[in-house]
Every structure is written in structure tokens, then in C-alpha cells.
Amino acid sequence: MGAGIELEDVICDFGSFRAVDRVNVTVKEGEFFSFLGPSGCGKTTILRMISGFTDPTGGVIRIGGKDMKGTRPNQRPTALIFQNLALFPLMSVADNIAFGLSVRGVDKSKCRTRADELLKLVDLPGAGDKLVSQLSGGQKQRVAIARALAVEPAVMLLDEPLSALDLKLRQHMRAELRSIQKRTGVTFIYITHDQGEALAMSDRVGVMSHGQLQQVADPREIYNQPTNGFVASFVGENNIFAGKLGAVSNGIAAFSTPHGQFRARLADGVARDETLKLYVRPEYTILSPDPGAENSLPVRVTEVSFEGNFISVHAISDSGANVAAEIRNDGAVTVPAVGATLHATFAAESAALLPDETRA
Amino acid sequence: MSELLRRYGPGLTLIFVLLTAFWLLMLVILPNITLFEASFRPYLPVTEIGGPRDVYSLNNYAKFLNNAVPASYFGIDVQIPVHLKTFLATVTYSGVVTIVCFLLSYPLAYYLAKVVNPKSLPTLILLLSIPLWVSEALRAFAWYIILTFNGPLNAVLVGLGVLEAPVRWQNGVMTPYDGIMIGLTYTYVLFMLFPIYGAIQSLDRNQIEAAEDLGARWWQIHWRVVLPHSRPGIASGCVMVFMLSAGSLLVPTVLPSTSSNWFTETIRQWMLESQDWNTGAAYSFLYILLCSVVVMVVMWLFRVKLNEIAK
Ligand SMILES: Nc1ncnc2c1ncn2[C@@H]1O[C@H](COP(=O)(O)OP(=O)(O)OP(=O)(O)O)[C@@H](O)[C@H]1O
Ligand SMILES: [Mg+2]
């Protein structure tokens, strides 16, 4: 069964460089939690601190309510799946999986039985006697998961485990990981820089930048109600307009930009200062021949690309603003021609005024 | 070959090929063939060479089994040919030297490869290889001085109160071969260190961390992950140190005790003291053969394959 994890003001410094900066988050027991962020933002460092390979410079890490300070990795109820998997190449698949058991003194035949059970769980029955080098990428992945599950960890820590796989396999393994997590009830902490992966798999996502946690929420909230500009633009695409805040009523604010007057949502907690920008996603941006009642911008189409399920259109306004729009392909849609002059419009409710990322 | 031709043209290529051929043929193959041939012929006065008594036989090799002397192995007294006794002692103590070198090298190699800050690594390696700059003879004589009765080792140990009276190290404290073993270990330990260092160096650090993460203790990590990975390095280090020790002539002559006999000295006696190059050659080939057999048997025992070592 899983265990909860609390990170309290966790800091990690490498020399004068702060890799992880006062991270506070509570992961519930049995939860699938992802850390999402660009390369170098400190994701791996957080994982290494939870598993015990790196000592935090400050703050407290609790697993199952117990402070982990001074507890060696081999004493923690965590199992880490490395980015490169780190399977033992000189051992058979079964010996790899049973490694954690055999170092605990479990006898050979029991180890083998358990390894075979786990191979069944990860959908690789009968592969026990193979060598690691004889497996495909996806199969190695499963062996790594089985090896980690063998020690019955309360927490599984996964460091971008799918990044080396091709697209099809990655999508398949996403579902697989998710179902293994549901079946075993183990807490999963998953690291990725792929937003699609994080949104599709997780119960909750923590978005990171420069060592700081920007927002923690469930995937829908992360996508629909990002709390700042970094989260909005890291997770999904946006049309962004800088401007000045005007009058606010009923959560909708007037916003004047060099490209015109707009109206957009302004969430309650947002500080009303000059760092605010307007963010609206391409799929909420409509291109039509007629100007709308509000939030309307005359544009000229510069680029049209057919993506299959949608059509991506890039346009530029007379005032020089780049606007992207996505049109869903329902089979009967009219594709705008390059050079056509249209009006880009969006509903005030689908646009948000957000501050820049929080930097302490 | 075509690469050589393309780069240096036919003239230089011909010179390269001829030089290599000269080196192989004249300096390696011919002398060895000559000695090999000589080893089957009797040692005769010059006038009789080519005469009726100059026929091929295995007599020179058979001398290895002459002259039984008393010896004691594992508390059992036996009569054993004197040269066989020397051979067994040489192989045994070369084996001990190999094991000691391994025990010294493995922790150091691990420390250098995985623990030490990579920035200070070049300095450390340089410091370690300083002894290699000094000639083997000087190193052996240095140990001769250290170990003499009035030497610094006794002075320090007596001065510290570890010993009550100076010890005759060169006569051997545990075995008559102590001095030789110390000298050989010191001379050849780096030949063990570097291959093992290379092997451990190539081990992915994540493998070590994965083992620890799965609950392995430090000795389990070494036994199950680091040692198996470094087997090829250990094997080539062991073969090198063993063969170099068994083939060393200098150290056993500089650091002997009154009752130590190294097989290379026996060969030297045949060749230089008895002037019997025929028997000396026979002993040399026999020695190479027997040492190779020992290495093969040990490799077979530890299930090491030849191609692993070559890596
Ligand atoms: N041992 C270390 N010493 C010094 N700096 C380090 C060390 N480990 C990580 N860093 C730095 O800390 C920052 C965060 O590193 P981390 O590996 O956590 O990033 P990440 O989010 O996992 O990135 P990626 O997606 O590329 O794996 C990086 O800028 C990195 O250079
Ligand atoms: Mg990383």
C-alpha cells in the first residue's frame, strides 16, 4: 500500500546555485502525482532527495509521516526508476526483478516465484530467463517497473521513464503505468517535461520552473485555470498580449493593449499590477469574416497547416501581433486561404489575465 | 594497409612493412625458434656439435624431474624433485602476490573511479604512477635498504615501540619469500590497479544507486554489481601481475632470503653459471608452458573467458 509524502520548505543548493527552492507539496497516499517542468528546473533533484541520494540543504521530507532525515536510500520505502532504467546487464531478467528480495535474504525459489508473478503483472510472462540485452525498449521498461515493485515500495519514483520510447509505445506504456498504479495502490511520483504525459496520467500535477513550484492542481485546472503566465505557456499554447488593466466588474476586466481594447477574466487572487498579460489559447480563438461584438482583431492569414484532427492557422494583425488559431476538423470545415483578411475573436471568459511566473 | 598506402604513399609504406617484418622475424621469431630448437639438443663441447651425439631428445626437459629433495606440504613430508619444488614455490608466492595486489587495488580503484572528486583525479593518478618513473632496479634496492637489519623500517617500528627488537625482515618473518613478495607487490601493484580502475570506471553510477535503492548493503553492492562488472579488469590485472611476478628475475635476486629460490634464478643458473643454454632454454619453455597452464586452470575455475580479458 502507498504512503503519503510531504515536502516542507525543501531547498537544495549546489554550491551557490539553488536547484530546488522552498518546495512545499503534500502527495496523498495512493496518488499519481507528476512534477512537470522544463529541463534543468530541478525535477530530478527533488526525486533524488525523496529517494535519499541527495540531502536537502533545508526543509523536511516526510514519507508516511516519518521524517526521512538521515535515512539511507536502502532503508527508505521508495523505489526509484532511473531515467536510463539502470537494469543490471549481467543478470537475467528474473534475477534483476528479484534483486531487491535476494539482498534481503529471501531464498532462491521464492525469489523466482515472485519474479514470475511480477512478470505476469507487467505483461511479460515467461521472460524470466532472458538476458536484459535481449529485450526491446518497452520490455526493459516493464522489467524496471517489475524490479521496483518487487520490493513492495510504498512510493514509486519515476524519472522520465518513457522519454526513450517511440510515440506509440509511449502512449501504450502511459496506460500501462496508470493501470499498474491503480492495481497496486502504490503512490507514484512521476517526473516529465512532456505536458501531454503529465496531464493524461496524473491525479495531480505540480508545475515547476527554476526550482520553484508554480502551481499544484489536477490536470484540468492546470490547463484551464493556470495561475500564472509560466504555467499557461508551458502547458499548452497561447496568444499573449501585454497591456494595461482597466475597470473590473464581475471578474471580467478591461485590458487595453497596443492592438486594441480587450476584455478577459481576472481571477480573485491575482495581484493587479503591470506584469499582467492576456493569455488566450488558439483553440478558443475564432477566425471569422465578420468582426465580433468584442475582443476582435483584424488579421491577415500567413500560414495554414493541416494537422489531421485540426487545422492550425497563423495570422498577423495590422498592428503586428501574431495570432494562432486552431480549427477543429469536422470534415466540412472551410480552410482559410493564406493572405485572406479575417477577424480573430475570442470570448472574454476564455481569456485570462495572468501575472508572470512567481520568482522569489 | 590501403589506409597506410593512401596516407604515406608506397615508399614509406614499404619501409613500415619491412621494419615491422624485421622486428617480428629477426628480433622475436628467430631467436625464439633458435632457442626452441636448441632446447631439444644436448649440451656438448664445441667439437662435438653436429657429431653423432648431437641428436634431438627430451633429456633437457626431463632434468626438471631429477634430484629429489625432502619437502613438506600441508604437514605431509614428501620427496620431490628440487626444481619442481622451486617451481611450486614460485607459482604459489606469485599467486600470493597477485592476491595481495588485488586486495590493495580493488578498494583503491573503486575509490578513484567512483568516490573521488573528478577534479582531483588527474593529480592522484599522476602521484600513483610516480613509482613507475623510477627504474625497477632502483625500486628493488630501495626496498632492500628499507628492510635491512639496521634500516629505517626497524628503526621506525622499534622507535614507536611496536617491536621490542629489530627483526631480520630479509630472512622472512612468515615465509622465506617475504622480501621477494613485498618487492614484487610494490613493483607490480599498478598493473593490477589500472585495469580494475578502468573496469569500474566504465560502470554506470546509476547501477550502484539502483542496487542501493533496492535495499542492497554496501558489500552486497560490491559483490553483486561492482565485482561482476569489473571481472574482465580483475582477470587481466591478475594474469599480468602473476606472469610478471613469476617471470621477475631482478626482485628475487635483490631481495632474497637465505632459503628462497625463484624459478627464474634456476633458469639463469643453467644459462649463465652452467653455460648450458640448451637446458636453460628447455626450462624456459617448460616454465612458460606450466605458468600458462596455471593461468588457464585458474581462469577456468573462475569461468573467465579469454576474450573478456582482451577487452
Ligand atoms: N550534482 C550537481 N552539482 C551541481 N549542479 C547540479 C547537480 N545536479 C544537478 N545540478 C543542477 O541543478 C539543476 C537542476 O537539475 P535537475 O537534474 O534536477 O534538472 P531536471 O529538472 O531533472 O532536468 P532534466 O529534465 O534535464 O532532467 C540543473 O541546473 C543542474 O545543472
Ligand atoms: Mg532530470
Side-chain angles (χ1 to χ4, degrees):
Chain A
M1 255 297 134
I5 295 175
E6 292 153 62
L7 304 186
E8 212 178 280
D9 275 332
V10 171
I11 293 173
C12 184
D13 290 338
F14 294 114
S16 62
F17 176 73
R18 182 151 289 194
V20 173
D21 192 1
R22 263 174 291 141
V23 165
N24 282 286
V25 64
T26 302
V27 179
K28 296 195 242 357
E29 145 181 355
E31 191 174 26
F32 197 122
F33 188 95
S34 295
F35 282 103
L36 173 65
S39 184
C41 71
K43 306 180 297 285
T44 299
T45 309
I46 287 193
L47 220 57
R48 290 179 62 82
M49 287 192 289
I50 297 174
S51 55
F53 289 110
T54 302
D55 290 326
T57 314
V60 184
I61 296 173
R62 283 190 213 91
I63 301 179
K66 252 179 55 195
D67 188 351
M68 283 291 123
K69 195 175 166 73
T71 309
R72 296 287 312 155
N74 55 13
Q75 305 293 331
R76 295 193 184 199
T78 57
L80 178 58
I81 295 185
F82 291 79
Q83 198 155 358
N84 66 357
L85 303 183
L87 294 174
F88 305 123
L90 301 176
M91 299 180 201
S92 71
V93 166
D95 287 346
N96 260 282
I97 295 174
F99 183 87
L101 299 174
S102 71
V103 295
R104 285 171 174 75
V106 176
D107 70 63
K108 266 210 164 80
S109 66
K110 271 218 192 83
C111 280
R112 186 59 207 237
T113 318
R114 185 79 186 116
D116 286 336
E117 277 170 28
L118 284 160
L119 278 170
K120 241 177 251 153
L121 178 80
V122 295
D123 212 14
L124 271 180
D129 292 317
K130 286 194 182 160
L131 281 176
V132 172
S133 56
Q134 295 168 326
L135 301 179
S136 72
Q139 290 171 329
K140 282 184 193 156
Q141 195 70 60
R142 290 163 207 234
V143 172
I145 293 164
R147 184 177 73 171
L149 284 172
V151 298
E152 296 181 359
V155 180
M156 279 270 251
L157 307 166
L158 302 97
D159 192 353
E160 309 204 25
L162 306 186
S163 56
L165 305 183
D166 62 57
L167 184 69
K168 266 271 164 320
L169 196 54
R170 202 153 63 215
Q171 281 169 345
H172 176 73
M173 286 307 295
R174 275 186 198 176
E176 196 91 340
L177 273 177
R178 186 73 182 142
S179 91
I180 289 172
Q181 193 260 338
K182 285 283 159 263
R183 264 179 284 166
T184 55
V186 173
T187 312
F188 269 44
I189 295 194
Y190 191 91
I191 276 189
T192 179
H193 59 250
D194 179 336
Q195 39 134 337
E197 212 165 277
L199 297 182
M201 295 167 79
S202 322
D203 294 320
R204 283 193 305 153
V205 178
V207 182
M208 286 188 68
S209 166
H210 293 101
Q212 294 177 334
L213 211 44
Q214 303 289 330
Q215 183 175 7
V216 179
D218 67 53
R220 282 170 64 168
E221 196 178 327
I222 291 277
Y223 191 82
N224 293 332
Q225 285 130 39
T227 53
N228 64 42
F230 175 82
V231 177
S233 40
F234 189 73
V235 184
E237 301 292 314
N238 281 285
N239 295 309
I240 305 170
F241 302 99
K244 268 203 163 53
L245 187 67
V248 186
S249 70
N250 289 334
I252 301 288
F255 197 65
S256 64
T257 76
H259 314 288
Q261 289 289 328
F262 296 123
R263 277 161 33 84
R265 269 187 299 125
L266 181 66
D268 285 339
V270 177
R272 306 179 171 192
D273 56 24
E274 65 281 359
T275 65
L276 288 180
K277 286 189 183 125
L278 187 150
Y279 292 80
V280 58
R281 299 207 181 272
E283 64 263 36
Y284 298 137
T285 307
I286 301 156
L287 292 172
S288 83
D290 318 306
E294 58 169 6
N295 293 343
S296 184
L297 186 64
V299 295
R300 189 169 41 80
V301 175
T302 54
E303 196 186 323
V304 177
S305 56
F306 182 77
E307 304 276 351
N309 54 344
F310 67 93
I311 296 131
S312 163
V313 181
H314 285 267
I316 188 162
S317 74
D318 301 339
S319 52
N322 285 303
V323 178
E326 275 171 17
I327 309 170
R328 219 172 66 77
N329 180 13
D330 58 7
V333 68
T334 48
V335 180
V338 172
T341 44
L342 296 166
H343 293 271
T345 64
F346 53 89
E349 287 73 27
S350 61
L353 295 173
L354 298 172
D356 279 344
E357 70 177 274
T358 49
R359 295 294 304 272
Chain B
M1 194 70 172
S2 53
E3 173 71 14
L4 266 181
L5 258 176
R6 194 183 57 72
R7 274 206 181 174
Y8 300 106
L12 264 181
T13 305
L14 188 70
I15 293 176
F16 286 153
V17 171
L18 284 181
L19 275 175
T20 314
F22 174 80
W23 178 68
L24 264 179
L25 259 172
M26 302 303 288
L27 301 180
V28 179
I29 297 179
L30 260 183
N32 274 295
I33 286 183
T34 315
L35 271 181
F36 190 63
E37 196 255 357
S39 73
F40 295 101
R41 289 166 46 183
Y43 174 52
L44 296 169
V46 185
T47 48
E48 284 192 53
I49 291 178
R53 286 177 56 206
D54 197 355
V55 288
Y56 290 128
S57 74
L58 288 173
N59 288 346
N60 292 334
Y61 289 86
K63 285 182 197 157
F64 187 61
L65 297 176
N66 289 350
N67 298 332
V69 291
S72 162
Y73 294 106
F74 307 109
I76 304 165
D77 293 320
V78 286
Q79 290 284 320
I80 178 170
V82 61
H83 292 156
L84 180 59
K85 186 181 168 190
T86 305
F87 171 77
L88 288 177
T90 307
V91 166
T92 307
Y93 293 117
S94 296
V96 174
V97 168
T98 309
I99 292 167
V100 171
C101 282
F102 169 71
L103 294 178
L104 291 174
S105 298
Y106 180 80
L108 186 57
Y110 182 80
Y111 177 79
L112 287 176
K114 291 292 167 219
V115 183
V116 105
N117 182 346
K119 273 189 216 130
S120 44
L121 195 63
T123 326
L124 279 172
I125 300 252
L126 196 73
L127 285 176
L128 276 169
S129 51
I130 282 179
L132 283 183
W133 304 354
V134 181
S135 88
E136 196 183 327
L138 263 174
R139 274 178 278 162
F141 280 110
W143 271 106
Y144 181 87
I145 293 167
I146 294 171
L147 295 179
T148 46
F149 191 70
N150 294 320
L153 184 62
N154 275 331
V156 169
L157 289 181
V158 173
L160 287 176
V162 180
L163 292 178
E164 280 181 19
V167 170
R168 292 203 178 275
W169 298 104
Q170 288 181 336
N171 280 353
V173 177
M174 290 171 297
T175 72
Y177 291 82
D178 287 355
I180 298 178
M181 285 196 290
I182 290 173
L184 289 174
T185 303
Y186 183 73
T187 308
Y188 296 127
V189 70
L190 291 182
F191 290 88
M192 183 72 87
L193 179 73
F194 286 128
I196 299 183
Y197 166 77
I200 298 181
Q201 172 75 45
S202 70
L203 176 65
D204 177 7
R205 185 182 298 276
N206 284 351
Q207 298 259 317
I208 298 170
E209 290 187 343
E212 183 174 8
D213 189 58
L214 291 166
R217 283 158 221 289
W218 67 267
W219 56 270
Q220 288 171 318
I221 297 173
H222 282 280
W223 184 244
R224 304 278 306 264
V225 178
V226 187
L227 265 173
H229 176 86
S230 38
R231 249 166 57 121
I234 295 171
S236 55
C238 286
V239 170
M240 264 197 278
V241 170
F242 178 80
M243 287 308 243
L244 286 168
S245 298
S248 173
L249 179 56
L250 189 99
V251 174
T253 31
V254 175
L255 293 166
S257 72
T258 44
S259 53
S260 69
N261 265 310
W262 211 248
F263 199 76
T264 47
E265 294 178 292
T266 308
I267 295 174
R268 195 206 51 184
Q269 280 155 17
W270 278 119
M271 292 201 166
L272 300 184
E273 277 154 43
S274 315
Q275 288 291 311
D276 180 354
W277 281 67
N278 305 74
T279 310
Y283 269 50
S284 298
F285 286 110
L286 195 62
Y287 190 44
I288 292 170
L289 190 75
L290 288 176
C291 283
S292 306
V293 168
V294 171
V295 168
M296 294 295 170
V297 168
V298 174
M299 275 170 55
W300 176 77
L301 279 178
F302 285 94
R303 309 216 151 50
V304 183
K305 297 200 185 64
L306 255 186
N307 57 3
E308 282 185 77
I309 293 182
K311 258 193 265 181

